[in-house]
Amino acid sequence: MAAEKNKYTVLISEEEISRRVKELGEQISSEYSGKEILLICTLKGAVIFASDLARSIKVPCELGFIKAKSYAGDHTTGSVDINFEDIPDIKGRHIIIVEDIIDTGLTLKKLSEYFWAKGPASMKICAFLDKPSRRKVDIKADYAGFEIEDHFVVGYGLDHNERFRNLPFIAKL
Ligand code: 5GP
């Protein structure tokens, strides 16, 4: 990691992340009081956020995973590749799709249309980061950690060619 030290600038610190994730957990816990949640984490980028978020939610909560890919390196390919195998049963359940970042919105549009057709009792979107200036389709997060400008960012699960996911903060390259 030392060799990579000067290649990025910290944008959101570990402390800010920890505070915000706890706030989101509290908000979700209070809004879903008396209910059970199925958190659907998009792999791989949202795995660290979803792990922290799940631990800050105080109502019963199941975790499901789905693999989605739309980026190659630091640019969007414009098409979304989703692996729909091993999806937990969604019908009648309160689901929250947990995403690392909303950029064009194409991934979440495809995922939310797919999940909605399966008949959940309710469906919301929780994104750790949001880049509204990049949006190509009309998608909004019900819960969002931080709004950021149009930077390519890494850390806290987000990668560049599979590197940097383990940084405990968000940095721009
Ligand atoms: P969208 O479909 O909204 O354009 O893109 C969503 C996916 O693109 C995210 O789940 C993430 O994998 C990738 N992505 C978008 N912006 C960034 C970014 O700034 N950094 C990284 N590492 N990935 C990004």
Side-chain angles (χ1 to χ4, degrees):
M1 197 62 72
E4 291 174 356
K5 218 171 179 173
N6 299 321
K7 290 188 182 166
Y8 52 74
T9 314
V10 176
L11 208 58
I12 307 173
S13 70
E14 195 172 351
E15 293 72 26
E16 288 173 280
I17 292 174
S18 163
R19 224 176 8 248
R20 187 71 187 116
V21 174
K22 283 199 182 82
E23 281 173 6
L24 287 173
E26 281 164 17
Q27 187 185 350
I28 291 171
S29 304
S30 106
E31 290 180 16
Y32 284 81
S33 173
K35 295 178 180 153
E36 287 197 26
I37 305 172
L38 170 61
L39 288 182
I40 303 180
C41 165
T42 57
L43 296 172
K44 301 177 188 172
V47 73
I48 293 180
F49 173 48
S51 310
D52 285 345
L53 182 69
R55 284 177 290 180
S56 71
I57 291 177
K58 304 299 174 211
V59 296
C61 184
E62 191 182 315
L63 270 168
F65 298 90
I66 186 160
K67 199 160 186 186
K69 191 170 171 62
S70 65
Y71 255 62
D74 62 0
H75 63 278
T76 179
T77 58
S79 70
V80 187
D81 188 10
I82 294 171
N83 183 345
F84 286 111
E85 287 167 28
D86 299 328
I87 306 280
D89 195 13
I90 282 157
K91 195 167 174 54
R93 306 188 66 184
H94 297 288
I95 68 167
I96 302 180
I97 306 173
V98 182
E99 175 69 307
D100 52 355
I101 184 165
I102 315 182
D103 184 51
T104 62
L106 290 168
T107 304
L108 275 170
K109 185 166 169 44
K110 193 165 176 179
L111 283 177
S112 56
E113 285 174 356
Y114 175 83
F115 287 135
W116 191 244
K118 300 272 172 204
S122 69
M123 182 179 75
K124 289 198 172 173
I125 290 170
C126 179
F128 177 61
L129 298 175
D130 189 5
K131 280 198 258 187
S133 65
R134 295 261 309 158
R135 207 69 98 247
K136 285 191 177 152
V137 288
D138 185 24
I139 277 283
K140 283 194 187 69
D142 300 284
Y143 308 101
F146 301 90
E147 211 171 270
I148 60 167
E149 289 175 11
D150 184 12
H151 305 298
F152 184 80
V153 293
V154 294
Y156 200 60
L158 289 112
D159 74 313
H160 180 244
N161 292 333
E162 297 300 328
R163 295 171 72 212
F164 304 109
R165 290 193 200 276
N166 60 321
L167 295 179
F169 44 78
I170 291 290
K172 59 177 178 173
L173 289 184

